Every structure is written in C-alpha cells, then in structure tokens.
Amino acid sequence: MPQSYDAIVIGAGHNGLISANYLARAGKRVLVLEARDVVGGACTTERLIPGSESRWSSCAFIAGLLRPEIINDLDLERHGLEMYQTEAMEVVIFEDGSHMFMWKDIDRTLKELEKFSKADARSFLDFGLRVKQFASIITPFLMRPPTSRSEVLRAFEEAGCEDLFDEFVLSSTKDLLDRYFESEHIKGLFTFFGMISVWGGPSTPGTGYVYGHHSVGEFKGHLGQWGLVKGGMGGITQAMARAAEAHGTEVRLSAPVEEVLVSGGRARGVRLVSGAEILAPVVLSNADPARSMLKLLPKGTLKPSLEKAVGAYDNRGSMARIHLLIDELPEYVGFPAGKGPQHEAQQIMGASVENFELAWEAQRRGVLPEEYVIEAMIQSTTDPGLAPEGLHTMTLGVQQLPFELSGTTWDKARDEFADAVLENLYRYAPNLRGHILDRVVITPLDLDRDYGLTGGNIFHGAMFLEQLFGSRPTPELADYRTPVKGYYLCGSGTHPGGGVMGANGHNAAKVVLDDLAGRTPGKAAPARTASHRSVPDVVMGTRLGREVGYLAARQPALRKVIKLFTRSGN
C-alpha cells in the first residue's frame, strides 16, 4: 500500500524547505523529495573534487536577501545557521592596478569613492537614500501573495515617487546609474548587480529592477549589506532541513519525482522515477514553472492556452561558476603581497559598462565574449574549515552567458571557456598561474541538467516587469495555485522572484494553509506610510542637509549614528 502524507514538497531547495517548515509547524505531516543526494538546490555546499575534503558553495555564495522574518520564524540560528560579515564587502580591481573597496562602514566607502570622483562620493549618499526609499515601498509586497503591477505602481504614486518606479523598475541599469554617477569605474562596479542572470546588457530596459531587487536585501537589519554563511551556503538549507525535521518533516534524498499524480482534476500524490507512488492531497513544487507545469504534470492536464503561456515564459539569462582549489592566494595587481581584505571581500575584475555591453552582444549571438567580467570569492580565508591547511577554495562567476552556443555545445566548450576565463584572471593575479591544483566548471547546461534550472536561469525566469508581481510566472499561476486542485508552486519562478530570499516558500505555504482551512483572505494592499520619508530622507532633501550629512557620514566617530540611518526599519 502506498505511503501517504498531508503534503509532499518536490525539491529541497530553500523555498521548498521553507514551505515544508511552515506546513509542519501547522501540524501537517510533510514529505520533502529531493532528486539530488544533498539538500539545498542552488543553495548548497558540496565537495566537488573527488578525494578532496575542500567544500564550495556550488551556486549561490552570498547571503543578503534571506528575509529576517523567516530566520526568526523558523528559529534557524538555533538549528545551526551562523552568518557573519567581513569588513570589506566588495573590491573592484582594475587592470592598471587601481582598485576600490566597498566597506561595511560608510565613512571608509566614501573615502574610497573619492579616489575616483568626489562628486560621486556625495551622490552615493543620495543614491543610498533613494534605494532605501525604494525598499520601503517594495518590501511590504514581498511577504504576501502578489498583487497586480498596477497596485504596485499605485503605491509609488501615493508616496509621490513615480520617478522612483521609473528608475528602479522600468529603466536600464545604465540609465539608472547615469543619473547619479559620472565615474566609469564606479558605474562599472555597480552595473554588475544589475547583470545577474539577465538576458541583456546595461542598456536593456528593466535591468534597473534586477539592481533594485538585490538592493533591498539586508544583513541583520542593515539595508544593502550582505554576509557569508559558516560552512558555505549549505548552512542555510541544512538549518532549514533540521528545523523541518524537528517538527516531523521527512526529507528524502536521491528521490527524483517523475510525475504528479492527478485524478479528477486534483493532485493525489507523486510517482518517483523508481516507480514508487506516494499519496498526498497537497503537492508543492519547488521546481521552476516550466518543469513544474510542463514536465511534472501528465500530458493533457493543462488547457492549451495555459500550456502555451508557460511555454512562452522567459527563462533566458544564465551564468557559470568555476571552482578552483589553489595552494596560494592571488596576488592582485596594485596590492602588496600577503593576505589582505581584498581576499575576504567579493572580488570583481574587468567591471566596465563597455565590457558588460560586449558580453550582452556575445550572449545575443550565442558566442563567448573575448573579455570577461569575473566575480570571485575565497571564503576559506574567513572560514578555514572549508579547505585543508595551506589550501583555499576560490569560486569564480561569469554572468551574461548564452544557454545555447552557436556551432558547439557547453560540454564541448567547457574547457575552452574555463581556460579563457583563467587567462583573463591571470592579468589581475599573475601568480595564480601554476598554483591551481584542480578545477570544477559548472556551465549553464550543468545548471539545467544537474541543478534543475531550466535554461540555466538561477532566478527560475527573467526578472523583468512583464514577469513580476501578479504576472509571475503567468497571471493564472501568480497566487501559487495551479488549475490542478491541491497542486501549488513555491519556487523562485513565483512572486517575489529569485535569489535566496525565501518569501516565495513562505507565501506559498500560507496560501496552502488558507485553502486547507477554507479561508479566503482579502486582497488588501500591504501596510505603508503616507510619505515613506524618514528623518534622514527629510534632512537630506535640502542642500544644507546633504552637505551636513556627507560630512557626518565621513566621520569614523559617528559610525554608530550613521548605522541607525541604514536600518531597514527607518
């Protein structure tokens, strides 16, 4: 006789585990089925090199979007989640040896920006307040089922911030940054955050929202900051799995699902690839919308119109990771030898608006670019347990890559691509040549094939306005429900989008619990203030206020005061 549960979650990625947690806490008997032999999906830590004890965060490697409400609700710290920050957040390194740090403390950051443009250093505070105002309007929409795009626009209009909607939702990253900054070096760094898993370039309309989506993240209450997870990003999902198991959830690995069982228009459970059937009146899919609706449901389940809409859902925009095992830290041009803050920060090389535009042109044509913008992280410098003594784990990332290559395949081009990226890297860290002991390349095809990300898109779909809020992934599926009763979506292809945020899993679970209880919650808009203008917003709204604010922000002695202004609740 088949096993039965109250609910089955397909996929042990972070959103699936979050849904399982909330359902289990409501007294439901939950089973999580994961195709791979490790929990986490794209938020995981793995031993990627056979025979090596070193561990890497295979896909996501920075924690800045995970909602604090979820951390608190699920008591993740008690279940082993340990997050920490480095003093240096980012460092952008240029080929001529110049570089610029973004520090945790704003006074140090302003002095770095002044090296390239004093005007931009002043504009940085104005930009930061705009980001904070954008966050104050958009954040209340995150932890609830999506509303229409017109309702979101209305929130900006009521706050008198239509121009903010234009800048951070409709505009291109280039247009957004051009309004505030003049230095190509500074714009090159900031452009990176609008190019994550996009099919486009800096001038592509809508990429401003990709920047805005990342800017609303916070670390321990401080907006726009991020941290690292001890043990790698798998520390997040391992804590989530432990929390779920503590409330009775069963997590089963190496258990790929072949099909959702449907009878009479209702979900009845799942059939595994092994042939085993498991029953449940509720099934949630943490897979992306294309897999959830077109591959997991029996053929003929969906109306042709919805099947066509899901088939047209835009999954373009991919990236790659190259994981290195090194026996010497990079000696970057312009830095003295020896370990320094440049090794603890997120390192970005080749960041220029032109290089991002050239990468988009190559992506559009299905070829590899000649110049790569490279991000790097060496977490073993701050978390020695990730690598044996004398060794380090270094992860490289390349964005704006085509999923399909013209005239070849990723399997054939894997080494050619990795070699070319490393040749670019050697221009910034010549000493690394000869000190790379091994490497593992995760291509866009690998993201699709091994991690279950259709098209290699880590966000489960493009993050442009036509696929956001009440249209993500389609209007018919936007409230996490599907036409199959009892079958729900909870992955990053739902509102509010991608990244290790977790709001998707939270919201989906709440919808499931409402349906099981027969509740029909209203469509009330999220609570918001009339003006969204905090004290620092008002003060900085005057010329004198901006001057005083800038002088104050540059003073190390006033760090505690300035940090109060960066609190996300202000």
Side-chain angles (χ1 to χ4, degrees):
M1 185 174 178
Q3 291 180 295
S4 64
Y5 295 80
D6 295 326
I8 294 172
V9 178
I10 302 173
H14 67 283
N15 280 310
L17 292 170
I18 289 168
S19 289
N21 266 281
Y22 282 103
L23 293 175
R25 279 164 169 72
K28 307 305 176 185
R29 187 165 177 254
V30 184
L31 171 66
V32 179
L33 296 169
E34 169 57 43
R36 303 182 72 228
D37 62 359
V38 61
V39 301
C43 179
T44 188
T45 306
E46 298 181 80
R47 287 186 170 91
L48 296 172
I49 296 174
S52 173
E53 292 300 309
S54 300
R55 295 175 294 150
W56 289 262
S57 295
S58 13
C59 297
F61 60 48
I62 285 175
L65 290 177
L66 184 59
R67 295 305 307 165
E69 302 95 323
I70 293 171
I71 294 175
N72 293 332
D73 284 351
L74 306 188
D75 206 3
L76 294 182
E77 291 182 351
R78 187 170 69 85
H79 289 285
L81 175 63
E82 185 176 341
M83 301 169 69
Y84 65 95
Q85 277 187 302
T86 56
E87 290 298 315
M89 307 294 290
E90 288 99 22
V91 59
V92 58
I93 305 168
F94 302 103
E95 207 168 344
D96 63 2
S98 60
H99 59 267
M100 177 174 58
F101 280 101
M102 300 292 290
W103 297 94
K104 184 171 65 174
D105 295 312
I106 195 169
D107 57 288
R108 300 177 73 182
T109 295
L110 291 176
K111 290 167 186 174
E112 287 287 305
L113 296 175
E114 287 174 353
K115 296 190 305 185
F116 293 89
S117 170
K118 290 186 177 180
D120 282 0
R122 293 175 178 272
S123 294
F124 180 71
L125 289 186
D126 293 334
F127 185 64
L129 288 174
R130 294 289 280 176
V131 168
K132 186 177 181 183
Q133 193 170 18
F134 171 75
S136 74
I137 299 174
I138 209 73
T139 298
F141 288 99
L142 301 180
M143 293 287 284
R144 61 185 292 272
T147 187
S148 66
R149 291 170 291 183
S150 60
E151 171 62 26
V152 177
L153 174 58
R154 185 165 71 87
F156 282 85
E157 291 174 340
E158 290 179 353
C161 296
E162 297 97 325
D163 57 340
L164 199 63
F165 183 87
D166 293 340
E167 287 182 12
F168 283 91
V169 179
L170 300 179
S171 77
S172 69
T173 299
K174 185 178 187 304
D175 287 342
L176 169 65
L177 297 176
D178 280 348
R179 295 186 186 191
Y180 294 92
F181 304 108
E182 61 183 20
S183 165
E184 291 302 316
H185 290 80
I186 293 172
K187 287 190 287 188
L189 168 61
F190 292 159
T191 296
F192 171 79
F193 303 103
M195 296 295 102
I196 298 174
S197 208
V198 301
W199 177 261
S203 298
T204 302
T207 51
Y209 186 80
V210 180
Y211 185 98
H213 181 74
H214 287 88
S215 70
V216 301
E218 58 186 80
F219 186 87
K220 296 190 176 179
H222 291 284
L223 187 68
Q225 295 194 10
W226 54 263
L228 297 168
V229 181
K230 186 173 182 180
M233 289 294 282
I236 292 176
T237 44
Q238 290 286 347
M240 289 176 177
R242 285 191 288 267
E245 289 169 338
H247 285 79
T249 295
E250 180 184 344
V251 179
R252 195 178 300 180
L253 303 179
S254 302
V257 172
E258 181 178 352
E259 188 174 78
V260 176
L261 300 175
V262 179
S263 176
R266 294 193 61 89
R268 303 295 181 185
V270 300
R271 180 184 299 110
L272 303 183
V273 171
S274 67
E277 293 188 353
I278 308 172
L279 304 181
V282 170
V283 178
L284 297 89
S285 176
N286 188 40
D288 62 68
R291 290 174 189 265
S292 298
M293 303 304 295
L294 303 180
K295 293 186 177 182
L296 290 177
L297 289 176
K299 290 190 181 300
T301 300
L302 301 180
K303 291 181 178 180
S305 58
L306 180 55
E307 190 171 315
K308 181 179 180 181
V310 176
Y313 180 69
D314 189 358
N315 288 299
R316 295 174 300 173
S318 193
M319 54 159 289
R321 290 274 188 250
I322 302 175
H323 298 287
L324 307 176
L325 183 62
I326 57 178
D327 63 2
E328 183 173 290
L329 287 173
E331 295 181 2
Y332 288 122
V333 292
F335 286 93
K339 181 181 175 183
Q342 68 273 19
H343 299 118
E344 299 179 353
Q346 180 185 20
Q347 304 128 51
I348 302 177
M349 292 152 276
S352 71
V353 176
E354 180 63 16
N355 278 348
F356 286 116
E357 292 286 16
L358 291 173
W360 159 226
E361 177 60 22
Q363 184 184 42
R364 185 187 64 80
R365 292 188 291 116
V367 299
L368 299 175
E370 294 183 7
E371 296 288 328
Y372 290 94
V373 180
I374 304 171
E375 60 173 325
M377 178 62 68
I378 314 173
Q379 191 179 346
S380 55
T381 58
T382 57
D383 187 355
L386 293 174
E389 187 175 355
L391 302 179
H392 284 286
T393 56
M394 184 175 189
T395 294
L396 310 180
V398 177
Q399 302 290 338
Q400 295 175 279
L401 292 174
F403 179 67
E404 295 181 351
L405 292 173
S406 177
T408 186
T409 67
W410 273 108
D411 285 340
K412 293 178 181 177
R414 179 188 308 272
D415 287 335
E416 172 193 349
F417 162 73
D419 289 343
V421 172
L422 291 180
E423 285 300 323
N424 275 228
L425 176 65
Y426 296 148
R427 301 209 305 259
Y428 299 91
N431 72 302
L432 278 184
R433 194 186 299 272
H435 287 281
I436 298 175
L437 304 183
D438 210 337
R439 74 187 188 194
V440 172
V441 184
I442 299 176
T443 70
L445 179 59
D446 295 324
L447 291 176
D448 182 298
R449 182 173 52 199
D450 300 333
Y451 291 85
L453 302 171
T454 298
N457 189 294
I458 61 172
F459 292 154
H460 285 198
M463 296 277 289
F464 294 135
L465 182 59
E466 60 268 25
Q467 293 190 169
L468 293 174
F469 307 110
S471 293
R472 187 171 184 87
T474 69
E476 301 94 328
L477 304 172
D479 62 358
Y480 312 98
R481 300 177 179 94
T482 76
V484 177
K485 297 295 184 182
Y487 184 46
Y488 300 83
L489 305 181
C490 66
S492 293
T494 62
H495 171 76
V500 185
M501 178 181 287
N504 321 62
H506 164 274
N507 298 345
K510 296 299 185 183
V511 167
V512 170
L513 293 172
D514 283 343
D515 288 352
L516 291 175
R519 293 189 293 264
T520 55
K523 295 288 186 180
R528 52 184 184 265
T529 62
S531 68
H532 286 279
R533 289 181 63 79
S534 63
V535 173
D537 295 336
V538 174
V539 171
M540 292 290 287
T542 66
R543 183 175 178 179
L544 177 60
R546 286 194 294 273
E547 180 64 25
V548 172
Y550 179 75
L551 293 175
R554 290 184 81 256
Q555 304 305 313
L558 296 179
R559 282 178 184 169
K560 289 185 178 180
V561 176
I562 297 301
K563 283 181 179 179
L564 292 176
F565 290 162
T566 67
R567 298 289 299 184
S568 58
N570 283 340

